[in-house]
Amino acid sequence: MRYKELAENKKGRDFVLGDLHGCYTILKKLLTTAGFNTEIDRLFLVGDLIDRGPESEKCLQLLMEPWCHAVQGNHEQIFCDAVNNNITWMTINDYWQPDYGGGWTRDWFERNAPELKFWASMIKEMPYVIHVKGSGEKKPFWVVHAELWSHEHDVNERNVQAIVENSDADQIRILQWSRMLSKHKTLGRKTTLPGPIYCGHTPTATPANARFGHWNLDAGAGVGPWAASLGVPNPSLFLYCHTTGQSFRHEVTHFA
């Protein structure tokens, strides 16, 4: 599944979380602060559930929860490529280094643990884009890991699903890896959707600062010792409520 469409939430609230990077305990604290109700509320994750932080496996287990919906980030893609021996641009030892943060998988790889194939199969089912419908005053929204645009087409409500479902390798790389907005302050082609595009991937000190329809929620939970050089003085996990406009933030200190 590349494009997942969900109905609006008529009973509860919809929350969107920035890059999680193994920060399970902090997420639970944020959800408690927000009064998250698993019976009626929903949580959307912009990808990069894993790597760098201390609780990656617990974060993967969120994929089993009916109230949680996540898109596939580049770190999930790296994990799958490592499991399937498809990485051509780095070695498994590179993945285990702090830069990529995959050291938590080392034991699994060294003993060929069944968890590798299990979680790779779960990740394979994660969409690249989630679309949540709206009605009346409730705006629809989209969730992607990096950015939602195309080299070939302007992106609008009529064609976005077709663009994602027919993605070639270059288009998938845009969805999972692009930093066009952060580097060039613009997009190659127009993206005009009638609601926000929630994304992450590029750490920012000012999450939810909208640009060309994209609301970046990555507050740097996975940047660790590189925080200052990336302009993120207080790495945090950021939770945003699409329904109410409230935001919740918790500083990440396990790298200190």
Side-chain angles (χ1 to χ4, degrees):
M1 180 190 303
R2 295 188 170 195
Y3 189 91
K4 181 177 181 179
E5 194 168 73
L6 294 172
E8 65 174 303
N9 189 348
K10 294 183 178 181
K11 294 183 178 180
R13 299 168 294 170
D14 284 340
F15 292 84
V16 193
L17 185 81
D19 296 36
L20 181 52
H21 280 301
C23 298
Y24 180 82
T25 296
I26 296 176
L27 169 60
K28 297 298 286 185
K29 290 178 180 178
L30 283 174
L31 293 179
T32 298
T33 301
F36 187 86
N37 183 341
T38 58
E39 296 297 319
I40 57 173
D41 296 333
R42 298 187 298 193
L43 176 65
F44 293 87
L45 308 178
V46 303
D48 280 8
L49 283 64
I50 57 174
D51 297 342
R52 298 179 179 159
E55 302 165 295
S56 287
E57 186 176 6
K58 284 186 176 180
C59 292
L60 281 177
Q61 290 169 2
L62 290 167
L63 299 177
M64 313 290 284
E65 299 290 354
W67 43 264
C68 184
H69 306 271
V71 296
Q72 185 184 135
N74 63 301
H75 278 261
E76 282 79 42
Q77 176 249 314
I78 292 171
F79 174 88
C80 285
D81 284 349
V83 171
N84 296 313
N85 199 29
N86 286 336
I87 298 181
T88 58
W89 49 277
M90 70 175 183
T91 67
I92 189 65
N93 283 299
D94 293 328
Y95 178 47
W96 290 338
Q97 300 307 307
D99 282 10
Y100 288 102
W104 64 281
T105 67
R106 185 166 191 154
D107 174 66
W108 285 357
F109 277 99
E110 289 179 342
R111 59 185 175 86
N112 195 26
E115 287 90 343
L116 291 172
K117 292 294 185 182
F118 174 78
W119 288 118
S121 67
M122 292 292 292
I123 288 170
K124 186 178 179 181
E125 298 302 315
M126 296 169 71
Y128 296 124
V129 173
I130 295 174
H131 169 211
V132 178
K133 295 181 178 180
S135 67
E137 294 183 358
K138 284 189 176 180
K139 285 188 176 181
F141 65 90
W142 285 259
V143 183
V144 68
H145 179 58
E147 294 171 351
L148 180 49
W149 58 277
S150 166
H151 282 298
E152 305 296 329
H153 309 279
D154 290 346
V155 176
N156 53 56
E157 195 172 15
R158 296 186 303 276
N159 67 9
V160 59
Q161 182 172 357
I163 288 172
V164 175
E165 289 184 341
N166 296 315
S167 295
D168 59 13
D170 287 340
Q171 182 63 56
I172 292 171
R173 187 165 183 84
I174 289 172
L175 302 175
Q176 292 188 315
W177 290 87
S178 177
R179 289 197 167 106
M180 177 69 78
L181 284 175
S182 64
K183 290 182 177 179
H184 303 290
K185 314 303 181 188
T186 189
L187 294 177
R189 301 278 303 234
K190 288 182 180 178
T191 294
T192 53
L193 293 172
I197 303 164
Y198 295 115
C199 62
H201 185 57
T202 302
T204 177
T206 56
N209 184 20
R211 181 182 291 158
F212 291 94
H214 288 70
W215 293 50
N216 183 1
L217 305 183
D218 182 1
V223 299
W226 310 282
S229 64
L230 294 173
V232 185
N234 298 300
S236 308
L237 193 60
F238 188 83
L239 179 69
Y240 182 78
C241 182
H242 171 81
T243 309
T244 66
Q246 292 176 289
S247 61
F248 306 85
R249 188 168 184 165
H250 195 294
E251 190 170 349
V252 173
T253 59
H254 54 256
F255 291 108

